[in-house]
Amino acid sequence: MSVVLQAVGGAAVAMVLCMAAGSAQAADLASEAPAVAVEAPAAESALQFHSPFGPCEMNCSATIYVGRYISTPMSDIFAKFKTAPWNWKTKDSTLVSGSFSREVLTYRDLWAFETELGVGKRFGELHAAEAWGALYWRWKAFPWNNYLRTTVAVSTGLNWASKIDGIERDKASHTSHVLHYLSPEITFGLPDNQHWDVVFRFHHRSGGKLGVFNHNSGGAQYQTVGLRYTW
């Protein structure tokens, strides 16, 4: 019996030694093997550029809008806050316009830069046609967007008129077909429909007494309302 126990014990010891030797050899091989680096996926940048010639991915918009001529100075409305909307003075002229725009630079869901091309036609006391190109900066983040999507935007660009209408001529001692395009707007839409928005735009062109615009100090302006489709 003792011989049998010794044999079994010897076999067990031999098996343990073999397992230890195998583990040591495996550890040596593992240490000699080249380490494989696992790269973490790159975090998407918060600032995104969108090619103006790429496919539209809910960053292209078409807008149509119509409005009445406003003779109250823009500075009294937006800078001095002297005149409430119901007290704005108007003239017998209507503007009908359309534009195409698309986002070219976005920062998360907070704001975006947009390029825009537009055309319009005046009716009534003014008869000129208009065309413009502009860059808009738009702010999108409002705390009530889950109930009513809201954005505000303001532009800088160039506006061309086919003729100098009488009202524009009377407002300034110098005239110019090409003037600065400064047109703030606000939009509203439903949270469950990202395609459609109602647009309120103050369509304004003026020279700001700058030499590049022949020292013109005034131009035509309209308070408009329109509809925008985004795709």
Side-chain angles (χ1 to χ4, degrees):
M1 179 65 70
S2 60
V3 175
V4 175
L5 292 176
Q6 289 177 0
V8 173
V13 171
M15 185 180 298
V16 172
L17 292 175
C18 289
M19 292 175 63
S23 299
Q25 185 177 8
D28 291 340
L29 292 175
S31 63
E32 294 175 1
V36 179
V38 178
E39 295 184 0
E44 185 176 356
S45 174
L47 191 65
Q48 294 288 318
F49 172 76
H50 308 276
S51 170
F53 307 105
C56 294
E57 298 175 342
M58 287 303 291
N59 56 2
C60 299
S61 299
T63 306
I64 55 172
Y65 57 93
V66 61
R68 197 70 170 169
Y69 187 94
I70 302 297
S71 57
T72 301
M74 188 179 190
S75 59
D76 288 353
I77 297 172
F78 293 102
K80 301 175 183 178
F81 302 103
K82 291 175 58 177
T83 309
W86 48 87
N87 291 326
W88 293 354
K89 296 179 181 179
T90 65
K91 289 187 178 295
D92 184 21
S93 178
T94 300
L95 175 74
V96 178
S97 294
S99 65
F100 170 79
S101 60
R102 67 178 301 165
E103 294 179 346
V104 293
L105 186 68
T106 59
Y107 183 77
R108 296 179 179 171
D109 294 327
L110 297 182
W111 55 261
F113 279 105
E114 305 168 5
T115 55
E116 179 180 281
L117 295 175
V119 294
K121 181 68 173 68
R122 305 172 187 170
F123 299 92
E125 291 187 38
L126 285 74
H127 307 284
E130 294 186 24
W132 64 89
L135 180 68
Y136 270 88
W137 179 80
R138 183 175 306 280
W139 181 262
K140 303 179 178 182
F142 289 92
W144 56 81
N145 278 354
N146 288 335
Y147 307 96
L148 182 65
R149 286 189 299 104
T150 305
T151 74
V152 294
V154 65
S155 71
T156 183
L158 296 176
N159 178 292
W160 170 84
S162 62
K163 62 180 291 186
I164 306 299
D165 281 316
I167 291 177
E168 285 198 0
R169 187 177 295 109
D170 294 340
K171 290 178 66 175
S173 56
H174 301 85
T175 60
S176 175
H177 288 271
V178 177
L179 294 176
H180 181 236
Y181 185 66
L182 173 64
S183 292
E185 71 170 36
I186 184 170
T187 73
F188 300 102
L190 297 177
D192 57 352
N193 190 335
Q194 301 289 321
H195 291 284
W196 293 99
D197 292 278
V198 176
V199 181
F200 296 91
R201 173 178 292 190
F202 197 84
H203 180 98
H204 173 90
R205 63 180 238 122
S206 64
K209 298 183 179 180
L210 299 176
V212 68
F213 301 118
N214 193 30
H215 301 283
N216 177 285
S217 59
Q221 58 184 20
Y222 295 79
Q223 176 53 54
T224 70
V225 61
L227 193 62
R228 173 171 296 156
Y229 180 76
T230 300
W231 70 97

